Amino acid sequence: MRFGFVALCLMVCLLPLRLAAEEVVLARSALVEGAFGTYLAMGLKLPPQDETLPLVGNRGLRSGGQVLRHLAGQQAVNGFEGVLYDNRDRGHSTLPKDLFPRLTRLSYSDQLRKAGADYGLAGKILLPAVVFGNSSTSVTSGPAQRSLPRLAMTSADGPAQSARLYENNHLYVYPEHRDHDEADRYPANWPYMLISQGSSGSDQPFLAALAMTLAAFPPDTFAALRDNRLMAPTLQMILRRSYAPVRSREAYLSGIAHPVVFEGDALRPGRMMAEAAAMRPDAIPPMVRLRVEEDGFGEAEGLARLSERLFDTDGAIARIWRNFGWSREMTVSAAGTRDPNGRKLTFTWALLQGDPARVWIEPLDPDGSRARIRFAWHDPKTVITRDRTGYHNRRQSRVEIGVFASNGVNDSAPAFVTVFFPDHQNRTYATSGAGGMRLVSIDYDAMGRGVYYDPLLFWSAPWTDRADYDGAGALTGWTRIGHDGNTRTLPPEVGEGVYQIERLQPDRPYLIMP
């Protein structure tokens, strides 16, 4: 009898100890094709979290996990029930397993891996869970090198796919990798993902902060956020409200809280967990939904007759300035926004980035749900930024307006209206005889000046166009000054469909006139 007991003890001791939750494997057979080129992982089942494992590992305590462990001892928290972590760089920058042992991780079958479904920008697969993840990768070869967020903003289906993830409880982190260093190269700002300052590994603080915040929600609040598909917007709100420079509601409603790229050192996961733990189901904020009612930006503008409408999604509207005019106007509505608990909403429209003397916002309704916005031309601006390595200059060419909904308890995450200006062009405007502003000239020769421009959005041309006006201020034509010094006179309708974009050099497209 004694021998049998000892033998049993030895057998138990020799069994491998389970140190982390098992991975869930996504197979091709679990995917059902949906609308808009997406796949729904209907056949994927998540196991319940294994409560025999610690919520926070010893290593996780050094990342702020002691706050989560304390909260879990004081009240009921959701933990990682219904949460899935999706690493999309094949372990290059993955959240270590010993940080949060109960966290369920996604892996992909060999068939899906071979098809590349596990790698790079997320968007085509919707998972039946609350998902956070990352891909510490970028496009590093070819003519259009860029970070994954800029790829999403400038590809045909990228904005819609990113918005779809956001509205289905998915939130991913990607590094800016050279798109936010000497110059801010993003054509828009949006709430659909988090962008970390730096390259590979800069996403790690964000992953840990998101994991702990998700675990800190009370179970009923977590369920309400999940069921109303408001988890990603609420995580964005909490991260931004807890960001180190943000100390007041006034600061939250300003550009300080909503940079296009975030510094990992400025995250405050302790604050984030406290916000999550204190949130109740009847107080969760809405997601702002925008719609353009009147649009002064066109579908065929400038010499190349390209669209100025980069994308229209519920949470972000983005425009590119191609027209020759000094000012443009839009009317935008947030009236389609609904509070999940039926609370009355009020709206704030805030200039987050841009010259206050060149942007005018006029609310059109008592609750602020609609606004008329007028933009004037912005020249590029160099700002001084500071991080842990010191002070840096960064060139900016984007105007941002944030739209916030308040339900009387919480402010929402922002929705954005943005305008991107072609900073590779040198434009001159001056006061006209009638007192308004009008174009004087445009130097298009970015290639000749050695200035970068995004080859997916812009082009260069080897000339400068000077606008000619009559005594009454009407445009009479253009004087074109070539890079060789030769000049020619062109009629006022010079830009009407006679140009082509030459792409023999894919990274440096330029305009030709037949």
Side-chain angles (χ1 to χ4, degrees), residues 392-405:
H392 310 277
N393 290 332
R394 180 175 294 130
R395 187 178 173 94
Q396 295 177 342
S397 303
R398 190 179 58 252
V399 167
E400 301 176 2
I401 292 169
V403 187
F404 305 84

Side-chain angles (χ1 to χ4, degrees), residues 24-79:
V24 173
V25 179
L26 178 61
R28 177 65 183 86
S29 59
L31 299 179
V32 176
E33 190 168 0
F36 311 110
T38 60
Y39 292 86
L40 309 178
M42 303 294 290
L44 187 71
K45 304 299 181 185
L46 269 66
Q49 65 176 330
D50 185 349
E51 296 192 1
T52 66
L53 296 171
L55 184 62
V56 183
N58 290 332
R59 184 175 171 186
L61 296 175
R62 298 195 298 270
S63 300
Q66 67 272 16
V67 176
L68 178 57
R69 186 176 284 184
H70 173 75
L71 287 171
Q74 298 296 310
Q75 67 176 63
V77 299
N78 183 75

Side-chain angles (χ1 to χ4, degrees), residues 30 75 77 79 89 102 139 219 253 271 290 297 310 323 406 408 454:
Q75 67 176 63
V77 299
D89 56 30
R102 291 188 198 174
V139 181
L253 299 176
R271 286 193 209 168
L290 301 179
F297 291 86
L310 183 60
N323 188 279
S406 172
D454 190 331

